[in-house]
Amino acid sequence: MFNLNLEEVWRYKDLLMLFVKRDVITVYKQTILGPLWYLIQPLFTSIIFTLVFNSIADIKTGGIPPFLFNLAGVTAWNYFSECLTNTSDTFKKNQGIFGKVYFPRIIMPISVIISNLVKFGIQLLILISFYVYYVVSGWELYPSKYVVLFPLVVLFMGMLGLGLGMIISSMVTKYRDLSFLVSFGVQLLMFISLVNLPYDVFASRGYAYIIDYNPMAHIIELSRFMILGEGNVSLLSIIYTILFSTVVLLLGTMIFNKTEKSFIDTI
């Protein structure tokens, strides 16, 4: 019931890579700017956040340049949100192929997680480029010594997005309205996940509990701490995030495996 069918997925690895290639290439295939959209979205979002929250609202970001603070949060958030939204309609989007040929259904959401790593890698390079720019410009920025563990942070982001996405995709087979609520809900969740606001803003107003129970807020704060050297991180928050992500992935796998056996009758 909790099986990811990794052995069977490995036998279908060529199909998995085909889906990954499809997701990477076809998204912007007939667009003018093509893959440049991978760069435009986080840059413009970070610029808007910097103007609104840091310049107009005068929210301080400590010793980190506001634009770099926002770009680090947006880059991490984009990977999670893309994984969640793109896996949340797995059954609905692929009902045609699912009804015609057999292959491990779990391949579809896994391919989304892997293909989004390409986009995340490109955006991470942009973040590193601006990091170097600010260092050369005189800002004293030092990454944490734990930055070598950053791939584990990405892993837990993928686990959380995959788990939640599989839960929602299974529910969408019966409740189509959920597919419309996901994108809206993800946008709202972003504002309580420390993407563009430091932890002190919530704590000073008595809303720290919102952050304390939000695993994505801990993940984004941890990634910002590793890359930029500043952030509100504790061992308890790390343990909570690991346990939460693992439970969500196991629960999502269980529901997904159960739904795939009968979804064709209800979708």
Side-chain angles (χ1 to χ4, degrees), residues 110-177:
I110 290 178
S111 70
V112 171
I113 303 301
I114 297 176
S115 62
N116 277 313
L117 278 175
V118 177
K119 180 178 179 180
F120 176 71
I122 295 173
Q123 295 180 354
L124 191 61
L125 289 176
I126 297 301
L127 173 61
I128 294 173
S129 299
F130 277 98
Y131 181 92
V132 173
Y133 167 77
Y134 279 107
V135 170
V136 173
S137 299
W139 287 81
E140 295 185 1
L141 301 172
Y142 303 98
S144 167
K145 62 182 179 181
Y146 301 107
V147 70
V148 294
L149 300 177
F150 184 70
L152 292 178
V153 178
V154 179
L155 173 64
F156 287 111
M157 275 194 287
M159 288 173 56
L160 191 58
L162 177 61
L164 289 174
M166 289 194 296
I167 292 173
I168 296 172
S169 67
S170 300
M171 297 175 67
V172 166
T173 59
K174 292 185 178 181
Y175 310 104
R176 294 295 185 92
D177 291 347

Side-chain angles (χ1 to χ4, degrees), residues 36-203:
L36 286 178
W37 285 111
Y38 288 150
L39 312 180
I40 293 174
Q41 189 272 337
L43 289 177
F44 272 77
T45 303
S46 300
I47 290 172
I48 295 299
F49 283 166
T50 302
L51 289 175
V52 174
F53 292 98
N54 304 117
S55 297
I56 298 177
D58 196 29
I59 294 175
K60 304 301 181 183
T61 56
I64 304 174
F67 176 77
L68 195 61
F69 176 92
N70 291 318
L71 184 60
V74 168
T75 300
W77 175 258
N78 279 348
Y79 179 63
F80 166 75
S81 64
E82 289 288 338
C83 290
L84 174 57
T85 54
N86 291 336
T87 57
S88 62
D89 61 348
T90 297
F91 288 115
K92 177 184 173 184
K93 186 167 60 177
N94 299 289
Q95 57 181 317
I97 189 172
F98 280 176
K100 293 178 181 179
V101 62
Y102 172 78
F103 58 89
R105 308 310 189 201
I106 198 82
I107 278 183
M108 284 298 190
I110 290 178
S111 70
V112 171
I113 303 301
I114 297 176
S115 62
N116 277 313
L117 278 175
V118 177
K119 180 178 179 180
F120 176 71
I122 295 173
Q123 295 180 354
L124 191 61
L125 289 176
I126 297 301
L127 173 61
I128 294 173
S129 299
F130 277 98
Y131 181 92
V132 173
Y133 167 77
Y134 279 107
V135 170
V136 173
S137 299
W139 287 81
E140 295 185 1
L141 301 172
Y142 303 98
S144 167
K145 62 182 179 181
Y146 301 107
V147 70
V148 294
L149 300 177
F150 184 70
L152 292 178
V153 178
V154 179
L155 173 64
F156 287 111
M157 275 194 287
M159 288 173 56
L160 191 58
L162 177 61
L164 289 174
M166 289 194 296
I167 292 173
I168 296 172
S169 67
S170 300
M171 297 175 67
V172 166
T173 59
K174 292 185 178 181
Y175 310 104
R176 294 295 185 92
D177 291 347
L178 281 175
S179 60
F180 300 104
L181 293 175
V182 170
S183 58
F184 175 67
V186 167
Q187 292 177 6
L188 293 181
L189 183 62
M190 179 182 67
F191 291 102
I192 58 171
S193 297
L194 302 183
V195 175
N196 56 336
L197 295 172
Y199 180 84
D200 294 341
V201 172
F202 291 88

Side-chain angles (χ1 to χ4, degrees), residues 3-12 104:
N3 188 12
L4 281 170
N5 298 321
L6 294 181
E7 183 179 349
E8 191 175 18
V9 169
W10 178 252
R11 292 202 301 268
Y12 284 83

